[in-house]
Amino acid sequence: MNTLALADTQPTSTDESHLFSPLTIRDVILPNRIMVSPMCQYSAEDGLANDWHLVHLGSRAVGGAGLVMVEATAVEARGRIAPEDMGIWADKHIEPLARIARFIQQQGAVAGIQLAHAGRKASVARPWEGNGGLSEAEGGWPTEVVGPSPLPFSQTYHTPHELSRSEISAVVEAFATATRRARQAGFQVIEIHAGHGYLLNQFLSPASNRRTDEYGGDLAGRARLLLEILAAVEADWPTEWPIFVRISATDWLPPTEPGFTLDESVELARLLTTRRVDLLDVSSGGVSTGQQIKVEPGYQVPFAGRIRRETGLMTAAVGLIRKAQQADEIIRSGQADLVALARELLRDPYWPMHAAQTLGYDLKWPNQYLRAKS
């Protein structure tokens, strides 16, 4: 576990920490505090990364991000959201991913990968094709969709079958095997996806987990699968490299409905200190269609701040972070250790370069682009 000293959980001075200061986590040094948030591209065939993924992720590394995180990468074929999701369930996936990791590192950034399982949100069409559940004839796998309980995400999604204990063990092993492949591909940061309504979030939330065995009930039971996966991941991941976990800090459900809350997120973070977790990537929502989100700039940042302040775990903040000054203030004020950008980096792959100019920092540009710097 890599925690912060109590003093570091308070606002830091401008001389110590800002958006373009390096961050050391274990033996990995991020050149700055800008992280490319995992963003599904729905552009793979049989889980294989291709030229689109190389250019998409590589351009963000060229653009100056310190940590480039590969999209949610399925540890099982049935764990894909859509048929076009990237995968890491077979050895054939290693080299295409390694090609991406190598290029990212050649640009001076750190390459990370998010390992994921969609659970009950699997076997659906990609967003621009409707998002609804796919039949076998349409390329889906409706009979293989799984979850903690036989509750569908919505009327247009498949009803999952409840994972048995032996199937849960197989999921744990799938994450462990995927970890070994991620290591072989050359990634230096691994992130376990336990947010956005996917399988591990489904276990964590009482909105989707109605089990009465040891994987349900109180938070300790609902967190059991995540903790078992982390134990397996740790056994196959070098001790000098970081492990992140992405969570949804709240389900955004009314108090009258069962859901995962920020208070439980803080308790979960404390549970995770029993494992080798270095940073929580703090997002929210995704487990219920009944969520009521008030979206505004930086709306999720306070979640990252409270978890960091009360537990000492490093955090990444994400969610409508658009302006350079906004991102810099998040780091300077001690609300988070990283800012994770998604849509803003889709709009502008070179956002870090432009932010550095705005804030007065001399961010290194690729030699090929120097003629345009002044």
Side-chain angles (χ1 to χ4, degrees):
M1 181 190 64
N2 192 334
T3 57
L4 300 165
L6 180 60
D8 289 334
T9 66
Q10 306 304 315
T12 51
S13 77
T14 56
D15 293 331
E16 294 174 352
S17 183
H18 53 76
L19 189 61
F20 290 97
S21 61
L23 178 65
T24 299
I25 310 178
R26 296 189 179 271
D27 289 353
V28 174
I29 301 174
L30 307 183
N32 59 57
R33 309 301 185 93
I34 302 168
M35 168 181 161
V36 178
S37 196
M39 291 179 278
C40 289
Q41 298 297 291
Y42 305 103
S43 299
E45 183 174 345
D46 197 24
L48 293 165
N50 55 40
D51 289 351
W52 174 268
H53 301 98
L54 175 66
V55 173
H56 163 67
L57 295 163
S59 63
R60 275 79 196 166
V62 169
L67 172 60
V68 179
M69 188 72 71
V70 173
E71 67 187 71
T73 306
V75 301
E76 292 187 320
R78 68 177 180 178
R80 290 170 293 170
I81 306 164
E84 298 83 9
D85 274 12
M86 195 181 290
I88 194 169
W89 66 80
D91 287 347
K92 66 182 178 181
H93 296 125
I94 296 173
E95 180 49 36
L97 287 167
R99 178 186 179 213
I100 292 170
R102 286 193 298 268
F103 185 83
I104 290 169
Q105 291 158 357
Q106 287 166 5
Q107 311 316 308
V110 173
I113 187 168
Q114 185 186 70
L115 303 184
H117 194 300
R120 70 177 186 172
K121 294 178 85 172
S123 187
V124 299
R126 49 190 172 181
W128 59 86
E129 293 176 347
N131 253 145
L134 294 175
S135 67
E136 288 187 14
E138 296 169 315
W141 49 99
T143 62
E144 297 180 69
V145 175
V146 299
S149 303
L151 302 170
F153 173 64
S154 76
Q155 292 182 348
T156 62
Y157 280 64
H158 300 297
T159 298
H161 83 257
E162 181 173 305
L163 284 166
S164 67
R165 287 182 177 85
S166 62
E167 288 177 310
I168 287 173
S169 296
V171 169
V172 173
E173 179 56 31
F175 272 92
T177 305
T179 299
R180 291 193 289 273
R181 293 190 180 112
R183 185 187 68 217
Q184 293 168 15
F187 293 98
Q188 290 184 289
V189 177
I190 200 167
E191 178 169 276
I192 306 303
H193 198 351
H196 294 177
Y198 299 122
L199 184 63
L200 302 186
N201 190 185
Q202 292 161 28
F203 269 85
L204 286 170
S205 175
S208 47
N209 184 347
R210 304 293 171 82
R211 300 176 73 101
T212 58
D213 64 4
E214 66 269 33
Y215 291 95
D218 62 9
L219 179 60
R222 287 181 275 121
R224 185 181 301 276
L225 176 56
L226 174 57
L227 291 170
E228 288 179 353
I229 286 171
L230 285 168
V233 165
E234 291 165 17
D236 286 300
W237 192 247
T239 56
E240 64 268 25
W241 291 350
I243 297 173
F244 292 7
V245 174
R246 170 163 275 195
I247 65 169
S248 282
T250 174
D251 290 340
W252 294 102
L253 292 174
T256 55
E257 297 184 27
F260 195 67
T261 65
L262 180 56
D263 287 343
E264 283 201 317
S265 290
V266 173
E267 291 305 310
L268 174 64
R270 293 192 177 109
L271 284 175
L272 295 182
T273 63
T274 66
R275 305 261 36 116
R276 185 160 61 87
V277 174
D278 298 285
L279 181 144
L280 286 189
D281 183 2
V282 184
S283 189
S284 68
V287 87
S288 173
T289 57
Q291 64 188 18
Q292 300 175 3
I293 304 177
K294 183 181 179 182
V295 177
E296 57 189 7
Y299 69 104
Q300 296 173 145
V301 174
F303 304 153
R306 180 178 167 189
I307 290 169
R308 186 181 190 270
R309 185 172 61 251
E310 295 188 16
T311 70
L313 275 174
M314 292 185 181
T315 61
V318 63
L320 287 187
I321 300 170
R322 293 175 173 172
K323 303 296 185 181
Q325 295 90 341
Q326 175 193 14
D328 194 50
E329 178 58 25
I330 289 168
I331 302 301
R332 288 184 184 275
S333 62
Q335 296 179 83
D337 302 275
L338 291 175
V339 291
L341 302 181
R343 288 175 176 83
E344 199 60 30
L345 281 172
L346 292 181
R347 299 182 187 101
D348 181 5
Y350 307 104
W351 188 93
M353 290 180 177
H354 300 145
Q357 290 178 321
T358 297
L359 296 170
Y361 290 99
D362 187 18
L363 183 67
K364 184 180 185 301
W365 283 36
N367 291 333
Q368 298 92 327
Y369 289 6
L370 284 177
R371 75 192 79 171
K373 187 174 182 180
S374 58

